[in-house]
Amino acid sequence: MKTTHFNSNYEGLSELFGLPAVGKTTFLKTNKQYININSTNNRQPIKRYLQKLISFLYIIFFDFTFFKNTVRFIGQSKLSFGDSLRLFFNMLRVNRESLKYRDRNMMSDQGFFQAVWSVAVFSFLEREKMAHVLIEFFYENQETFPKQVIVLEDNFDDILDREINRYGKLGSYYSDQIIQERAQYFQELIVKFIQKNYILGE
């Protein structure tokens, strides 16, 4: 697995970015200097819905510009109704955590770039059109960019094997060939964007 560190002058919550099953959770477990913010999120359904409501109200009051940009971004992405709701609230959660925890030594393995990647993968827009929408959204929301990004990359066949071993072929995130192709395409696109806008670290 290849690990690349990127630094910046941005102020958002640090992020670990990579494809599902690349090893993000394992990386955070073995690198104790990073506190995984996602391990502190509540898994109980009622409390998770409450957290979504808190994120919704928090962003409306503290970052309404991001709220408006996200509504437009989700609308332009042509998602299914279920994915629209799920990914919309995920984007709001990411922004709330970035605003709330940016000054703490925490890292998210489900941060800003990962959330935008999810929208792009599940979008019904053609890849090139979605890429344009994605980049436009990035430049509108630079205040949410993580201050540090650690990119994890691995051979896709190895990632696929890990995912299938974990969930079975039908339960795998990559059970659909189109999802496989879009996942790799937008992962590469976002990594190139990070390389262009961040400073390579050690």
Side-chain angles (χ1 to χ4, degrees):
M1 180 174 64
K2 178 183 176 183
T3 304
T4 312
H5 295 247
F6 294 94
N7 301 315
S8 73
N9 292 320
Y10 302 117
E11 298 180 351
L13 181 68
S14 296
E15 176 175 351
L16 191 62
F17 177 75
L19 291 172
V22 73
K24 296 189 294 294
T25 302
T26 302
F27 177 89
L28 288 174
K29 285 181 179 178
T30 55
N31 291 269
K32 301 296 185 181
Q33 68 269 35
Y34 303 111
I35 301 172
N36 184 4
I37 190 172
N38 301 109
S39 65
T40 65
N41 288 336
N42 203 295
R43 302 292 181 181
Q44 297 179 16
I46 294 178
K47 291 187 177 181
R48 286 179 65 184
Y49 285 121
L50 182 60
Q51 287 176 340
K52 290 179 180 180
L53 177 60
I54 291 172
S55 295
F56 181 83
L57 296 174
Y58 190 95
I59 300 305
I60 285 180
F61 283 105
F62 291 99
D63 197 350
F64 190 66
T65 298
F66 182 83
F67 180 86
K68 290 190 299 182
N69 290 343
T70 302
V71 168
R72 187 173 69 253
F73 175 57
I74 294 293
Q76 291 175 326
S77 300
K78 296 190 182 298
L79 298 158
S80 68
F81 179 73
D83 284 339
S84 293
L85 286 179
R86 177 176 63 87
L87 296 172
F88 173 69
F89 281 107
N90 188 45
M91 293 292 300
L92 298 189
R93 173 194 60 78
V94 166
N95 186 256
R96 178 178 69 87
E97 290 176 349
S98 182
L99 291 172
K100 186 175 180 180
Y101 299 112
R102 60 178 51 184
D103 295 328
R104 304 186 191 181
N105 183 31
M106 287 186 165
M107 178 165 284
S108 175
D109 60 1
Q110 300 174 35
F112 177 75
F113 289 121
Q114 198 76 39
V116 174
W117 173 88
S118 295
V119 173
V121 170
F122 287 102
S123 167
F124 289 111
L125 274 182
E126 295 176 1
R127 293 190 314 186
E128 290 71 21
K129 291 182 179 179
M130 186 62 226
H132 175 76
V133 172
L134 180 152
I135 295 298
E136 184 178 49
F137 181 74
F138 278 167
Y139 283 119
E140 289 176 342
N141 297 281
Q142 295 184 56
E143 291 183 358
T144 311
F145 282 5
K147 56 191 171 188
Q148 179 189 27
V149 182
I150 299 177
V151 175
L152 301 185
E153 299 172 278
D154 204 353
N155 180 280
F156 186 71
D157 287 337
D158 292 337
I159 292 174
L160 194 58
D161 287 342
R162 282 196 292 271
E163 182 76 354
I164 291 174
N165 289 335
R166 185 186 304 173
Y167 298 111
K169 189 170 184 179
L170 293 178
S172 168
Y173 190 94
Y174 304 110
S175 58
D176 186 293
Q177 183 65 33
I178 295 176
I179 294 295
Q180 289 186 29
E181 294 172 357
R182 291 181 73 92
Q184 295 175 83
Y185 175 85
F186 287 109
Q187 185 259 354
E188 291 173 4
L189 180 72
I190 292 174
V191 169
K192 288 179 180 177
F193 181 87
I194 293 170
Q195 291 171 339
K196 180 180 178 181
N197 291 275
Y198 280 72
I199 302 168
L200 185 64
E202 298 181 358

